[in-house]
Amino acid sequence: MVERFTFGGSLAPITCHAWNKDKTQIALSPNNNEIHIYRRDGMDWKSIDVLKQHDLRVMGIDWAKNTNRIVTCGADRNAYVWQQGDDGKWKPTLVLLRINRAATCVKWSPAENKFAVGSGARLISVCYFESENDWWVSKHIKKPIRSTVTSLDWHPNNILLVAGSTDYKVRVFSAYIKDIEDQPTPTPWGSRMPLGNLMAEFKNSANSNGGWINNVSFSSDGNKICWVGHDSCINVADATNGNNVLRYKTEYLPFLACEWISPNTVVVAGHSCVPLIYGLHNNKLIFINKLDKSQKKESIGISAMRIFQSLDRNLRTENSDILVDTIHQNAITCIRMYAGNKAHGTRVSTSGIDGQLIIWDIDTNLINSMKNLRI
């Protein structure tokens, strides 16, 4: 079953979205400086709050499931932690990021006692609450980042952090804050974990033709990372196998998002408007399935330029012979887990430039059996 939603009667692009713990509420940004909070009402959504503290476009949203706090970051170089008051309204607390460029992405740690913010200032701010002064402060991870940080994800141990950036690199850092955490235990990524220690580094390509990194994700056990870049490739690195990297060059337009849905399976999506499932099999990455079953057989020989033209709503007319034969009508920019977790995901949600939010069912039987695989 596929559920399709639009919000507020508008098709404004959805920059990012995040769910509360029981998936009855969603926070999203309609490509501006606002965060809209909706509550589910049957098959409809009711607007319950609009958060307007940011001055410029919101770039990232994450909702802490257990503490029920929302963290947002934006192009105004600020991040806010939002807490719900007794009156149901969300109240912001400014975070001292100490950056001079846009904040591009944000992610709560699994224990929800800290979060990380990536930025165009070539650094990562690891933020935590300082109870003595009653505010959120940050410590920086700088070296050897050489460009904008585009994506972040946390290891299940609450210590390690993977970051992708536009310098074509994926890096695993230690984000250990000794003021609030016990001494970390060793992992396959390494045992020395002072704040900012570089545990591993991967180049997106063996040559200079690779693309910048659009999204990164740790597996459920934290031993593997997946990333997608602007070169239409899917990559998986395994710390238990000498940091070996599996790389799969696809026929699709570049991917913008990726997420693990089982220990050996990832879902990816991007400019081709279709969520795709890939799996690890016999030390290879292989295609498993499309979540979007609405597609007809692809036209042979259609060029990437024609596909991009078909995605541009300004170029599309009623008599256009170039139509997007997918549920999403433009690039998918965000994937979130809707039901299950990274070890066993059963439903995911996607949002994109077309202003739609889609909830997809995952055929877990197909994933578990690993049948009908195209190698």
Side-chain angles (χ1 to χ4, degrees):
M1 183 178 69
V2 176
E3 297 183 69
R4 304 173 61 177
F5 303 103
T6 56
F7 297 86
S10 171
L11 290 178
I14 298 176
T15 308
C16 46
H17 73 276
W19 298 96
N20 70 340
K21 184 175 183 178
D22 59 8
K23 308 301 187 294
T24 58
Q25 296 183 36
I26 187 172
L28 58 87
S29 177
N31 202 41
N32 57 21
N33 67 316
E34 299 175 350
I35 302 102
H36 293 205
I37 311 292
Y38 291 88
R39 179 189 294 119
R40 187 157 189 173
D41 184 13
M43 290 302 293
D44 202 1
W45 294 89
K46 180 181 179 182
S47 177
I48 58 175
D49 209 344
V50 178
L51 315 182
K52 299 182 179 181
Q53 197 69 20
H54 284 281
D55 295 324
L56 297 175
R57 188 162 69 101
V58 173
M59 303 291 286
I61 303 172
D62 202 21
W63 199 323
K65 304 300 185 282
N66 298 312
T67 56
N68 196 38
R69 294 182 298 206
I70 298 174
V71 62
T72 62
C73 69
D76 57 0
R77 301 172 294 171
N78 290 325
Y80 294 94
V81 175
W82 303 81
Q83 287 191 282
Q84 199 168 23
D86 296 335
D87 58 355
K89 295 295 183 180
W90 292 89
K91 298 175 175 57
T93 301
L94 179 65
V95 182
L96 300 178
L97 292 181
R98 298 182 293 120
I99 59 176
N100 59 4
R101 295 291 186 274
T104 55
C105 51
V106 64
K107 203 72 175 283
W108 282 106
S109 69
E112 300 177 9
N113 60 344
K114 58 185 177 179
F115 58 88
V117 180
S119 72
R122 299 187 298 177
L123 58 82
I124 300 167
S125 298
V126 181
C127 308
Y128 62 99
F129 190 73
E130 196 174 71
S131 55
E132 293 180 359
N133 296 310
D134 193 32
W135 59 8
W136 291 86
V137 296
S138 64
K139 292 187 176 181
H140 288 170
I141 299 174
K142 294 183 178 180
K143 296 182 179 180
I145 302 171
R146 300 296 298 275
S147 191
T148 299
V149 177
T150 57
S151 179
L152 298 165
D153 198 26
W154 287 92
H155 189 283
N157 71 354
N158 206 67
I159 300 296
L160 300 184
L161 185 69
V162 62
S165 59
T166 55
D167 59 6
Y168 297 9
K169 297 288 182 68
V170 173
R171 300 178 177 92
V172 179
F173 294 102
S174 169
Y176 170 58
I177 304 294
K178 64 180 180 179
D179 297 341
I180 61 172
E181 297 175 293
D182 296 331
Q183 189 71 25
T185 56
T187 74
W189 297 101
S191 57
R192 187 173 177 272
M193 301 185 201
L195 176 69
N197 186 51
L198 181 64
M199 313 297 290
E201 181 178 89
F202 304 96
K203 190 175 182 180
N204 192 39
S205 174
N207 53 53
S208 60
N209 296 323
W212 58 83
I213 312 301
N214 287 324
N215 205 225
V216 294
S217 181
F218 263 117
S219 61
S220 58
D221 60 7
N223 293 335
K224 294 187 285 290
I225 55 176
C226 175
W227 71 86
V228 290
H230 216 66
D231 55 357
S232 300
C233 290
I234 303 167
N235 307 267
V236 173
D238 190 345
T240 62
N241 189 22
N243 287 353
N244 179 52
V245 178
L246 301 178
R247 180 177 172 84
Y248 186 94
K249 177 70 174 177
T250 75
E251 62 185 2
Y252 296 97
L253 296 173
F255 300 113
L256 299 174
C258 63
E259 185 63 277
W260 292 88
I261 53 175
S262 84
N264 293 302
T265 316
V266 295
V267 57
V268 299
H271 287 290
S272 290
C273 312
V274 183
L276 307 164
I277 298 177
Y278 288 83
L280 298 172
H281 184 70
N282 291 337
N283 206 34
K284 293 181 180 178
L285 271 169
I286 53 178
F287 173 77
I288 297 179
N289 202 9
K290 290 182 180 179
L291 291 183
D292 190 341
K293 304 297 185 183
S294 67
Q295 273 197 312
K296 299 175 183 176
K297 187 175 181 180
E298 289 87 350
S299 300
I300 298 175
I302 187 169
S303 68
M305 176 59 72
R306 290 191 68 198
I307 296 175
F308 268 124
Q309 287 175 340
S310 71
L311 300 181
D312 188 342
R313 288 181 297 177
N314 294 327
L315 295 179
R316 193 181 306 148
T317 66
E318 291 182 356
N319 298 321
S320 174
D321 60 347
I322 305 174
L323 299 175
V324 185
D325 191 23
T326 55
I327 295 177
H328 271 293
Q329 291 294 294
N330 212 318
I332 297 170
T333 57
C334 183
I335 300 175
R336 290 283 188 171
M337 192 67 65
Y338 184 79
N341 51 43
K342 289 185 176 184
H344 183 68
T346 57
R347 304 186 83 187
V348 295
S349 62
T350 59
S351 61
I353 298 175
D354 61 354
Q356 290 191 97
L357 176 87
I358 313 293
I359 300 174
W360 311 86
D361 285 338
I362 297 171
D363 187 350
T364 55
N365 291 328
L366 177 62
I367 294 172
N368 293 335
S369 64
M370 296 294 282
K371 294 179 180 178
N372 303 319
L373 300 181
R374 300 192 311 182
I375 300 177

